[in-house]
Amino acid sequence: MPNLLQKRWHGYQTVWVFALQLLLVIFISYYNWVLGLISLCLVCGLTYVMLRAERRFRKELVRYVTDLTYRIKRVEGEAVSRLPFGIMLYSEERTVEWHNRFVNKMFGQDSVVGQPLSELLPALPPYPARDKKDAAANTISTVETAVADRHYELTVLHDERLIYVHDITEFAVLRDRYEDERAALGIVMLDNLDEATQGMDDQQRTALIARVATALTEWAKQYRVYLRRLSSERYLMMLNQKSLNELEQSRFVILDEVREMTADLKVPMTLSIGLAFGTERFSELGELAQSSLDMALGRGGDQAAVKAGQRLSFYGGKSGAIEKRTRVRARVIAHALRDLMQESDRVIIMGHRMPDLDVIGASIGVLKAADMFQVEAHIVLDDKNPGIDRLMERIEKEEPLRRRFITSEHALDLMTEHTLLIVVDTHKASMTMEPKLVEEASRVVVVDHHRRGEEFINDAVLVYLEPYASSASELVTELIQYIHEKVELSPLEATTLLAGITVDTKHFALHTGSRTFEAAAFLRRIGADSVMVQRVLKEDLQEYIAKADIIKHARMIHNHIALAVTEPNRKIPQLLIAQVADTLLNMTNVLASFVISERPDGLIGISARSLGNMNVQIVMERLGGGGHLTNAAVQLEGTQAEAERRLLEVLDEIEKEEGLFE
């Protein structure tokens, strides 16, 4: 029994009271022994009564505690059994040893004792690995699971082998409803309306737009999307997350339907869709939707881009970018670039790492444009590679041009707040020859022909991104025709631009449009030497033998895809990997090719090529790379076997989702 009950007067105050009474008795007896005797008898009687009362209190207290203990033990099992939440005990073999009635109702069985937890609760986590720094925290796990149509939260105490089960169905239903009803915003754009309707009269144009509008309206009704027409080529979409999930599961079939519906036109109509989700503010949703649409258009159109929080997904993109027949945009960009150059103290031009002929050609074209306005300009070139060695040998013989090439360290020293940085043939800062230059530059211009990826130099003051173009050299050739009335290029400089176009089009066989040949014709008129281009592009015998050795390891997958994996521990330059992929594409019955090899820097390089029937950019993006519809690549860490396994998994996924080929 607790001391507090035994000594409920909180000490020995009672003893002092009786001692005081005894002293009083002695004092009275000293004056009158009769009164003292009477007082002593009274004190002894009072003491006897109090002692009996104390013994009776203790006996009744013990009886009360005993009865209470019995009652508690009697209802304890029933109380635990009827708790409004579940309790389960399991053995070291993870089988159920005991549970209360809540668990019976949960599983709809009289008893689940003896059954394994792995069958009853597959979502239950295993016992976690111990962490010396935080061992106590690791002994408790919380997980959510569903049984039948109910949702439960499991709190697992691993050390006690105890599980608490709470029914959270109402909360889960409200949470799912909240998520499903969150707003999403989108913009649909007919991205080539002018090109598709060129040559049509007003009646034919109106009929075509009406056909497309009807298809869009029926599609919107099917997926419960509010669609509002803003202009002849632009629509606003309002929907919730549930409808957005259904659209993503359908892979945005409207893209294929509109393209197939207008396939009889010279230029089929295509759509671009930008969707945004993940924020409660409609102003932010609108900005994100426009950004997603810009991303879809920057990748060539005919696709949907969905921005949901940190996730950015792309759907479609099976057709090539439609060539713009008008040069209005080129003229506007040229005039804007001219103004920026004239406002700058110097111009620094930079391409991507491992530069190719397209980078060198485009850089020299921009350099000559700056020279026309007497603005100091330099080209950043750090690393050379076999692909540009022959061209650089010819450039080094031209002393005035050779001195314009500088290192990235020198470029950083020259950089001021009034310096203009022009990035060619890439739009990713991490891919540039020196990313620090992009960070240091106060003004950046991007000239690129690759389909836009998730990473982008967003703070650029001027962006000329045209996926329809064959090369950056083609874009620069158009710009210099409008940037100054009198274009002055030496034969070597014109030849360099022509070489950039030639190498990116595989000798004008792939990814060419009418403007590609117009640019090449312009360069020929001002002195470009096609014979010199062929000499620069001549192939080394040893390289040809090395390519043949890689090609002999190629095999066919998915009927029309050639896959070549080099021998382990054999390091192949990225340029050679790309050349092998190009060569495989020339083989009969091959619509796409992939080459996997270890590079000299230790990374695993994958080069992908196609004839346009397959979008290899989507394949490489799923692996972390990027590129064009017909030309893409990625660099991975790990082994060749792991890279091959990941590539095959991605190809299988795309084949199941929407098919690899059009």
Side-chain angles (χ1 to χ4, degrees), residues 90 127 130 135 139 157-162:
Y90 61 91
Y127 189 83
R130 288 286 191 146
T139 61
L157 281 68
H158 295 278
D159 285 347
E160 287 76 17
R161 300 198 296 277
L162 172 66

Side-chain angles (χ1 to χ4, degrees), residues 16 61 96 139 157 161 199 221 238 341 364 388 426 479 486 527 552 576 580 608 623 625 654:
W16 290 110
L61 180 62
V96 179
T139 61
L157 281 68
R161 300 198 296 277
K221 287 182 179 179
M238 295 185 69
M341 286 181 172
I364 290 178
I388 64 172
T426 184
L479 290 177
K486 186 177 181 181
K552 73 179 183 181
L576 187 58
V580 173
L623 293 172
I654 297 176

Side-chain angles (χ1 to χ4, degrees), residues 11-261:
Y12 294 92
Q13 295 90 334
T14 306
V15 176
W16 290 110
V17 169
F18 282 108
L20 180 61
Q21 289 177 349
L22 185 60
L23 289 174
L24 290 174
V25 169
I26 295 172
F27 180 76
I28 294 172
S29 298
Y30 178 76
Y31 290 100
N32 189 332
W33 66 270
V34 176
L35 290 176
L37 183 61
I38 295 173
S39 298
L40 179 62
C41 292
L42 291 174
V43 170
C44 290
L46 180 62
T47 302
Y48 174 74
V49 171
M50 290 188 65
L51 289 175
R52 286 196 60 183
E54 178 66 18
R55 283 198 298 268
R56 187 167 57 251
F57 167 77
R58 295 193 180 190
K59 187 181 296 184
E60 290 176 358
L61 180 62
V62 170
R63 186 185 305 117
Y64 171 76
V65 171
T66 303
D67 291 345
L68 182 62
T69 303
Y70 172 75
R71 289 174 60 196
I72 291 174
K73 287 184 177 180
R74 188 177 62 182
V75 301
E76 180 181 12
E78 188 68 18
V80 172
S81 179
R82 293 182 180 276
L83 284 174
F85 57 88
I87 301 177
M88 300 176 68
L89 292 174
Y90 61 91
S91 66
E92 293 183 354
E93 292 77 24
R94 295 178 71 83
T95 58
V96 179
E97 290 184 322
W98 177 89
H99 59 80
N100 62 357
R101 292 184 183 179
F102 184 95
V103 179
N104 295 353
K105 298 178 181 179
M106 174 180 171
F107 292 102
Q109 301 180 30
D110 293 336
S111 175
V112 294
V113 174
Q115 297 189 33
L117 289 176
S118 58
E119 296 180 4
L120 294 172
L121 304 169
L124 195 68
Y127 189 83
R130 288 286 191 146
D131 186 351
K132 294 181 180 179
K133 295 182 179 179
D134 197 12
N138 284 338
T139 61
I140 300 177
S141 300
T142 302
V143 67
E144 185 177 328
T145 187
V147 177
D149 58 345
R150 310 291 293 180
H151 294 263
Y152 300 93
E153 182 182 71
L154 309 178
T155 302
V156 187
L157 281 68
H158 295 278
D159 285 347
E160 287 76 17
R161 300 198 296 277
L162 172 66
I163 304 174
Y164 292 111
V165 184
H166 297 273
D167 190 337
I168 59 168
T169 302
E170 293 184 3
F171 167 77
V173 169
L174 288 174
R175 181 191 59 199
D176 294 343
R177 182 177 176 183
Y178 167 75
E179 291 295 335
D180 288 343
E181 294 181 356
R182 293 181 68 186
L185 203 64
I187 302 173
V188 181
M189 186 171 182
L190 312 182
D191 50 28
N192 63 333
L193 179 62
D194 292 337
E195 287 74 20
T197 59
Q198 191 171 20
M200 293 183 179
D201 56 31
D202 289 343
Q203 184 177 0
Q204 292 173 322
R205 177 187 172 94
T206 303
L208 175 62
I209 294 175
R211 286 172 56 196
V212 175
T214 301
L216 280 170
T217 302
E218 293 176 355
W219 170 73
K221 287 182 179 179
Q222 180 182 353
Y223 292 97
R224 301 176 303 283
V225 176
Y226 174 75
L227 193 68
R228 180 72 176 180
R229 184 174 176 177
L230 302 178
S231 66
S232 59
E233 58 184 18
R234 202 175 181 92
Y235 295 81
L236 174 68
M237 296 172 60
M238 295 185 69
L239 62 161
N240 56 30
Q241 185 185 3
K242 186 176 181 180
S243 296
L244 177 59
N245 292 338
E246 293 177 1
L247 288 176
E248 291 189 279
Q249 291 174 3
S250 71
R251 315 297 297 181
F252 290 87
V253 294
I254 188 64
L255 300 172
D256 298 328
E257 291 176 359
V258 171
R259 188 186 333 106
E260 293 169 1
M261 181 178 64

Side-chain angles (χ1 to χ4, degrees), residues 269-412:
M269 182 79 73
T270 59
L271 301 178
S272 289
I273 303 175
L275 278 158
F277 165 79
T279 179
E280 305 301 328
R281 297 182 180 178
F282 276 91
S283 58
E284 293 182 9
L285 279 178
E287 293 175 0
L288 291 174
Q290 183 61 53
S291 175
S292 299
L293 179 63
D294 293 341
M295 183 76 72
L297 292 171
R299 292 163 57 87
D302 188 28
Q303 57 193 284
V306 180
K307 179 73 172 177
Q310 298 299 318
R311 176 177 65 90
L312 183 60
S313 306
F314 299 99
Y315 303 90
K318 293 184 177 181
S319 63
I322 302 298
E323 179 184 17
K324 307 294 183 182
R325 291 186 172 88
T326 175
R327 293 192 177 189
V328 174
R329 178 168 166 78
R331 184 171 67 252
V332 171
I333 294 292
H335 291 171
L337 182 60
R338 175 193 62 195
D339 296 339
L340 288 170
M341 286 181 172
Q342 291 176 329
E343 296 169 359
S344 306
D345 56 357
R346 65 174 57 87
V347 175
I348 293 178
I349 308 147
M350 176 174 61
H352 54 73
R353 293 193 303 271
M354 297 293 290
D356 53 15
L357 291 178
D358 191 26
V359 168
I360 302 301
S363 298
I364 290 178
V366 175
L367 178 78
K368 298 308 294 182
D371 288 346
M372 295 176 191
F373 304 104
Q374 290 79 47
V375 178
E376 178 187 345
H378 302 278
I379 300 173
V380 178
L381 182 63
D382 281 334
D383 50 345
K384 297 181 182 179
N385 58 76
I388 64 172
D389 281 348
R390 293 188 184 89
L391 179 61
M392 293 309 299
E393 289 175 1
R394 294 182 179 273
I395 290 175
E396 287 174 359
K397 295 177 182 178
E398 301 285 338
E399 182 63 21
L401 185 58
R402 183 187 65 81
R403 287 188 285 104
R404 311 295 287 278
F405 286 85
I406 61 174
T407 63
S408 56
E409 290 81 4
H410 189 187
L412 285 169

